[in-house]
Amino acid sequence: MGRRAGVKSRRVVLIGFGAIASDIAAALLAASEPGYALGVLLRPDSPSRPRVPDSCTALASLDEVEAYAPDLVIEAAGHAAVRDSVPGCLALGLPVLISSIGALHGEALLADLVATARKGGGRLLLASGALGGLDYVRAVRHATQLDLRYESRKPPAAWSAELQRLGHDPATLSQPVTLFSGTAREAAALYPQNLNVAAALALAGPGFEATGVDVVCDPAATGNMHVVTASSEFGTMALTIANRPSPANPKSSWIVAQALLAAVEQHFSPVVML
């Protein structure tokens, strides 16, 4: 049976082409009908350009993104891309799926992105990333007695530089070390490449100041562990997730690309689970 008349490939632009973006690209390019046409936005001098598949369209500017006319833009390039590339896409009226949610800990940046989206008709989409349970957190975010806390627990390989700065040898660490305890806003600012989960939880819940965060390096951890506890007049939740580290980056969870793919599927699906 041939392609149904009038059904066109979904057009998606990826910002960046690191480990997460390459996993997303491979999955989307292999998807069945109607399939996906992919553009990749990178600086002309980006070292990632040679790795972009020939089946993708290389883009170097916002004008080229506009000409490509994507149905969806996916940011997978880090916090700088949220500041530098996402505003222009929102101003074009495009929906933008954000992976680097930790960048939104800055109140001014978040306010500017929201204002740009409203003015241009774009939409800021936030993926759950390495965390689950955000549906419950959204449901209780306005509770009058809400206590929400998140603990990140990762093995020494994820925190080598931080441990060395504190005088610990990552290779011989035998006991857990608490690297941080404070608010989600402080955590996202101190660990921008590692605590997108804390930012996602804060945005789904009562905000950055009202969300507690602990960062623990644990030699007994077998993966990237996330522990969320919530208590309110509506009930309690205790959630533990153990994600395997990305083979390309031990500070990131392998599941992140799959979470973004699930968000893409939801974006285009006629049935959406909220």
Side-chain angles (χ1 to χ4, degrees), residues 3-4 7-12 24-38 55 68 71-72 264-265 268:
R3 183 184 295 273
R4 289 175 294 164
V7 178
K8 298 180 180 179
S9 296
R10 298 146 176 163
R11 299 176 70 80
V12 173
I24 294 172
L28 294 183
L29 290 172
S32 59
E33 292 188 3
Y36 294 87
L38 296 186
S55 53
Y68 191 75
D71 302 302
L72 176 67
V264 172
E265 182 179 322
F268 290 108

Side-chain angles (χ1 to χ4, degrees), residues 7 21 24 49 58 77 91 130 133 140 147-149 157 184 191 200 205 219 225 240 247 261:
V7 178
I24 294 172
R49 275 189 171 265
V140 301
D147 181 17
L148 180 65
R149 193 153 197 94
Y191 304 105
M225 296 186 65
T240 300
L261 286 167

Side-chain angles (χ1 to χ4, degrees), residues 178-205:
T178 298
L179 301 176
F180 170 84
S181 184
T183 69
R185 190 178 306 282
E186 294 168 328
L190 286 171
Y191 304 105
Q193 304 305 316
N194 297 277
L195 288 174
N196 286 320
V197 167
L201 190 65
L203 288 165

Side-chain angles (χ1 to χ4, degrees), residues 165-268:
R165 282 198 294 269
L166 292 174
H168 298 285
D169 182 354
T172 61
L173 192 71
S174 60
Q175 297 295 324
V177 174
T178 298
L179 301 176
F180 170 84
S181 184
T183 69
R185 190 178 306 282
E186 294 168 328
L190 286 171
Y191 304 105
Q193 304 305 316
N194 297 277
L195 288 174
N196 286 320
V197 167
L201 190 65
L203 288 165
F208 284 91
E209 301 299 339
T211 302
V213 173
D214 297 299
V215 179
V216 180
C217 177
D218 186 354
T222 57
N224 296 338
M225 296 186 65
H226 308 286
V227 180
V228 179
T229 56
S231 176
S232 74
E233 63 267 31
F234 300 114
T236 63
M237 179 186 77
L239 173 70
T240 300
I241 295 177
N243 292 322
R244 292 183 177 178
S246 166
N249 178 10
K251 291 189 176 184
S252 179
S253 296
W254 206 359
I255 193 66
V256 171
Q258 300 306 310
L260 288 165
L261 286 167
V264 172
E265 182 179 322
Q266 283 278 282
H267 179 71
F268 290 108

